[in-house]
């Protein structure tokens, strides 16, 4: 069973991603390491002792729908109540609305533990946290006063309603409509699909954030507005009133995360004999809804990246335990009696170390993105702009690479379990099933790669990405100057990887300047992995250089000498792969 790796999480936060230097400089007021450590320890206990034991029932029984109402797996409603009473929902929320205003870094590290223990449970509160930020930044004071307090506390949960049957990644095709009622409210009509926790029994009320079009809205994404639509209407005194005209018409039967209700939501259909039209309130300005929603989506993308880290961590723990228990064959280096535990076989060792170091690299990238978000929020002027650019650069990496790693590592976990990995009772397959959604939702990883290449490489006139690479090269110089024999060829391999990254970056920037956009897009996905492997390797080296962290040198060397060689092939795909892709792809197109 999962045990929260509190020490590993704390180390990555403090010594790799940058929390300790920020705390030492007073970046977060009076917050100190003692408070951070206490939060992590208690979160680790709760995840290990309270959430993880209920993972299996969530996977096997899942969420159930009857007569428009969803029942979550046995024990989950009470679990959520204990989680909420512990104040976990309010960690990073603004103090003026009852939050604790802790750094995003701390919030995402705790989020990792919830999702490692049970991803289907951890995903629900993630959307509430995003709704809090969207309302805090864009809603009217009246809406903030009525809704934020209970969303922050977790008494109510929030959702994000974007997708429709014909409008997945392309929101320009969105059809849900909003009609002004003449009293400051709107009537919402339409269908939304794939809505996570759109209906459940955790809370008395659910606050839906819904994208819709006004009657005179411009075509495309410029004509989308954002609305707040509660499940139950709320009185001026905060009490719950009549049921709104919104309901769940179906639950998706999914590959994984069975405990999480993924809902089809119907707005304005006259639920239970009501006058048709779900009552909603405009958030922000008319036709500016996408900008408001992206406040929520950027946080959600980092949170989904954290889910990838979380699944990878649990899969690694499960595989490591199995490899030490399962005995098969005689390993060359094993001197014990009888069959050797399979952990002694080099191929199993390689798989386990691949799992371990990919997870560590993904965690470092995600936490570093959170650090950039924190610094952008707390700094001013040019420094704030620098950190916002850094957060923008790292967000597509922090979403895509960890979620790819989650699938890769959980697949290796199945492999290490052998035939038993293909059998549900070991739990290895369940993690693989859970992991597979993360590269898809909140913007597929292909979309993240497109965003990285077409929008993020041009930050600061194209110079920010190169300044970041220079920072990574400084870490490599530290490895070389350390003269520690345990690093082996780590510095040389990191230099090669960063040279591959630099060349690929210059080539893509030149392609975009020359208008060769399709050719650049052909290399976007390999470029994102190249970027992530190089950055991840450098972050592992930073951790290995920390005082008293000698045990991190050998995993860092393994990553550099066994996994970083991939960057050369990825560079070739970025630089030279576009023409062959275009030529071969002609045969794929039917119309």
């Amino acid at each position: 069973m999962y045990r929260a790796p509190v020490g590993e999480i704390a180390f990555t936060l403090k010594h790799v991603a940058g929390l300790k230097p920020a705390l030492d400089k007073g970046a977060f007021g009076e917050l100190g390491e003692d408070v951070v450590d206490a939060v992590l320890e208690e979160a680790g206990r709760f995840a290990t002792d309270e959430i993880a034991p209920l993972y299996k029932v969530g996977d096997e029984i899942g969420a159930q729908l009857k007569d428009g109402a969803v029942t979550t797996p046995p024990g989950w409603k009470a679990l959520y109540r204990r989680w909420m009473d512990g104040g976990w929902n309010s960690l990073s929320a603004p103090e003026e609305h009852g939050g604790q205003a802790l750094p995003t870094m701390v919030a995402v590290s705790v989020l990792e533990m919830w999702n490692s223990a049970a991803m289907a449970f951890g995903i629900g509160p993630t959307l509430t946290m995003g709704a809090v930020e969207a309302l805090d930044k864009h809603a009217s004071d009246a809406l903030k006063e009525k809704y934020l307090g209970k969303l922050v506390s977790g008494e109510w949960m929030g959702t994000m309603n974007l997708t429709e049957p014909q409008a997945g990644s392309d929101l320009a095709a969105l059809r849900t409509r909003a009609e002004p009622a003449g009293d400051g409210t709107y009537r919402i009509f339409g269908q939304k699909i794939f809505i996570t926790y759109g209906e459940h029994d955790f809370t008395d009320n659910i606050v839906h954030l819904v994208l819709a079009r006004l009657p005179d809205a411009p075509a495309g994404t410029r004509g989308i507005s954002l609305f707040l639509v509660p499940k139950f209407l709320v009185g001026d005194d905060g009490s719950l009133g009549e049921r709104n005209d919104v309901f769940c018409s179906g639950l998706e039967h999914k590959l994984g995360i069975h405990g999480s209700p993924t809902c089809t939501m119907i707005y304005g259909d006259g639920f239970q004999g009501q006058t048709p039209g779900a009552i909603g309130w405009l958030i922000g300005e008319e036709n500016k809804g996408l900008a408001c929603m992206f406040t929520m989506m950027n946080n959600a993308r980092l949170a989904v990246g954290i889910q990838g880290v979380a699944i990878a961590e649990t899969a690694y723990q499960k595989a490591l335990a199995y490899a030490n228990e399962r005995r098969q064959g005689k390993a060359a280096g094993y001197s014990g009696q009888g069959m050797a535990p399979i952990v002694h076989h080099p191929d199993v060792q390689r798989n386990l170390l691949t799992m371990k170091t990919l997870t560590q690299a993904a965690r470092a990238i995600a936490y570093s993105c959170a650090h950039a978000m924190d610094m952008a929020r707390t700094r001013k002027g040019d420094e704030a702009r620098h950190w916002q650019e850094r957060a923008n650069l790292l967000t597509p990496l922090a979403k895509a690479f960890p979620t790819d790693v989650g699938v890769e590592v959980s697949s290796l976990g199945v492999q290490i379990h052998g035939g038993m990995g293909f059998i549900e009772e070991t739990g290895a397959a369940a993690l693989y099933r859970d992991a597979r959604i993360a590269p898809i939702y909140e913007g597929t990883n292909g979309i993240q790669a497109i965003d990285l290449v077409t929008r993020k490489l041009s930050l600061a006139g194209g110079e920010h990405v190169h300044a970041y690479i220079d920072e990574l090269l400084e870490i490599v110089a530290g490895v070389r100057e350390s003269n520690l024999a345990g690093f082996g060829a780590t510095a040389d391999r990191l230099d090669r990887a960063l040279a591959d990254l630099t060349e690929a970056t210059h080539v893509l920037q030149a392609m975009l300047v020359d208008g060769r956009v399709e050719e650049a897009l052909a290399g976007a996905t390999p470029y994102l992995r190249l970027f992530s492997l190089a950055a991840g390797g450098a972050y592992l080296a930073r951790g290995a250089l920390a005082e008293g962290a000698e045990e991190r040198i050998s995993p860092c060397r393994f990553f550099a000498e066994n996994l970083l060689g991939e960057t050369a092939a990825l560079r070739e795909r970025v630089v030279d792969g576009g023409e062959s892709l275009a030529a071969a792809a002609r045969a794929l197109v039917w119309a």
Side-chain angles (χ1 to χ4, degrees):
M1 187 182 294
Y2 168 75
R3 296 198 64 82
V6 174
E8 179 68 26
I9 286 171
F11 181 90
T12 306
L13 279 175
K14 296 176 186 178
H15 303 292
V16 179
L19 179 60
K20 182 171 172 51
L23 291 174
D24 291 344
K25 293 177 182 178
F28 307 113
E30 297 181 1
L31 180 66
E33 284 190 63
D34 56 339
V35 174
V36 173
D37 291 340
V39 170
L40 295 179
E41 285 290 344
E42 179 55 23
R45 183 207 66 77
F46 193 93
T48 301
D49 297 342
E50 304 273 351
I51 302 178
L54 290 174
Y55 170 80
K56 190 173 183 180
V57 70
D59 181 59
E60 292 181 348
I61 296 179
Q64 307 290 326
L65 173 67
K66 184 177 180 180
D67 298 330
V70 170
T71 303
T72 52
W76 278 37
K77 181 178 180 180
L79 171 65
Y80 179 81
R81 176 60 59 176
R82 295 194 300 275
W83 182 87
M84 184 194 77
D85 289 343
W88 295 114
N89 198 72
S90 64
L91 280 188
S92 60
E95 288 182 300
E96 58 266 33
H97 300 296
Q100 301 173 55
L102 290 177
T104 302
M105 294 181 78
V106 176
V108 299
S109 66
V110 169
L111 187 65
E112 179 192 324
M113 299 188 218
W114 312 147
N115 281 277
S116 279
M119 180 173 160
F121 178 84
I123 189 177
T126 298
L127 295 169
T128 303
M129 297 167 194
V132 166
E133 180 149 5
L135 291 176
D136 183 53
K137 280 187 166 55
H138 302 290
S140 66
D141 289 341
L143 288 178
K144 291 179 186 179
E145 178 68 24
K146 183 172 286 190
Y147 291 96
L148 270 180
K150 291 191 176 181
L151 283 170
V152 166
S153 71
E155 292 177 75
W156 298 344
M157 286 177 66
T159 72
M160 179 166 58
N161 286 237
L162 287 77
T163 307
E164 299 177 7
Q166 78 294 338
S169 299
D170 186 1
L171 292 174
L174 186 143
R175 294 175 185 164
T176 297
R177 69 184 196 277
E179 299 178 357
D183 59 357
T185 66
Y186 298 78
R187 298 298 178 268
I188 313 298
F189 301 88
Q191 177 185 8
K192 298 289 184 178
I193 63 172
F194 303 157
I195 308 306
T196 299
Y197 277 85
E199 170 64 24
H200 56 81
D201 57 3
F202 282 0
T203 57
D204 294 335
N205 205 7
I206 303 171
V207 180
H208 304 289
L209 300 192
V210 184
L211 289 180
R213 292 187 183 280
L214 292 165
D216 57 352
T221 57
R222 292 179 300 170
I224 297 174
S225 301
L226 181 63
F227 298 88
L228 183 154
V229 184
K231 176 180 176 180
F232 287 94
L233 302 179
V234 181
D236 292 337
D237 62 354
S239 62
L240 296 184
E242 296 180 0
R243 175 70 184 260
N244 207 350
D245 187 14
V246 52
F247 71 99
C248 171
S249 67
L251 291 183
E252 302 297 343
H253 298 280
K254 309 187 298 292
L255 179 67
I257 55 170
H258 296 153
S260 168
T262 303
C263 305
T264 296
M265 303 299 297
I266 306 297
Y267 292 85
D269 198 47
F271 180 62
Q272 294 181 339
Q274 294 173 301
T275 301
I279 301 174
W281 287 261
L282 181 69
I283 298 172
E285 300 178 33
E286 292 184 355
N287 303 323
K288 303 291 184 182
L290 212 54
C292 299
M293 185 61 84
F294 266 100
T295 299
M296 190 175 186
M297 283 199 67
N298 283 333
N299 284 342
R301 286 173 174 173
L302 175 57
V304 171
I306 290 293
Q307 290 176 339
V309 176
I311 289 289
E313 174 64 39
T314 305
Y316 169 65
Q317 288 189 21
K318 184 177 286 293
L320 180 63
Y322 184 83
N324 276 278
E325 296 166 359
R326 175 67 168 167
R327 292 175 176 268
Q328 286 287 285
K330 289 290 291 185
Y334 179 66
S335 58
Q337 297 295 314
M339 293 188 294
I342 64 172
V343 73
H344 289 275
H345 294 287
D347 187 64
V348 174
Q349 294 170 346
R350 177 182 53 78
N351 280 336
L352 286 168
L353 285 168
T354 298
M355 296 171 77
K356 176 179 180 175
T357 56
L358 281 174
T359 302
Q360 290 177 332
R363 180 182 287 118
I365 289 171
Y367 286 13
S368 295
C369 181
H371 174 62
M373 291 178 174
D374 283 328
M375 299 305 287
R377 189 181 66 252
T378 58
R379 303 300 88 189
K380 295 181 180 179
D382 290 343
E383 189 178 3
R385 281 191 291 275
H386 164 82
W387 283 110
Q388 187 59 59
E389 288 175 351
R390 178 60 50 82
N392 293 343
L393 176 67
L394 292 181
T395 294
L397 271 65
K399 192 278 176 179
F401 182 66
T403 54
D404 283 342
V405 163
V407 174
E408 185 175 347
V409 168
S410 60
S411 178
L412 286 173
V414 173
Q415 188 71 22
I416 287 172
H417 280 77
M420 292 304 297
F422 202 66
I423 305 300
E424 289 289 355
E425 66 190 65
T426 65
L431 295 173
Y432 189 31
R433 290 189 282 100
D434 286 351
R436 194 58 192 86
I437 183 58
I440 297 172
Y441 60 13
E442 305 308 339
T444 67
N445 287 357
I447 289 175
Q448 303 307 313
I450 292 170
D451 177 55
L452 173 64
V453 168
T454 60
R455 295 187 178 92
K456 305 307 168 58
L457 293 189
S458 62
L459 290 169
E463 291 302 314
H464 188 91
V465 62
H466 294 290
Y468 176 65
I469 294 172
D470 287 343
E471 293 175 23
L472 301 179
L473 286 167
E474 291 176 9
I475 299 173
V476 183
V479 173
R480 201 177 298 281
E481 292 166 6
S482 73
N483 290 319
L484 294 171
F487 274 117
T490 296
D492 290 340
R493 300 299 172 83
L494 281 170
D495 270 336
R496 291 182 201 171
L498 290 168
D500 290 333
L501 175 59
T502 299
E503 180 183 349
T505 302
H506 281 304
V507 167
L508 287 172
Q509 288 176 325
M511 286 179 181
L512 294 171
V513 169
D514 294 343
R516 294 149 58 197
V517 177
E518 189 169 359
E519 190 176 354
L521 293 182
T525 290
Y527 176 74
L528 188 148
R529 185 168 177 87
L530 162 56
F531 201 146
S532 300
L533 286 171
Y539 284 140
L540 291 185
R542 177 183 284 170
L545 288 169
E547 185 177 352
E550 291 80 9
E551 77 282 357
R552 294 178 176 272
I553 293 177
S554 59
C556 172
R557 178 182 178 182
F558 170 85
F559 188 91
E561 295 184 10
N562 288 271
L563 303 185
L564 275 185
E566 185 183 345
T567 63
L570 291 166
R571 171 185 50 77
E572 290 182 3
R573 289 170 63 188
V574 173
V575 174
D576 299 319
E579 185 176 343
S580 61
L581 187 153
R586 295 189 187 102
L588 305 176
V589 180
W590 289 2

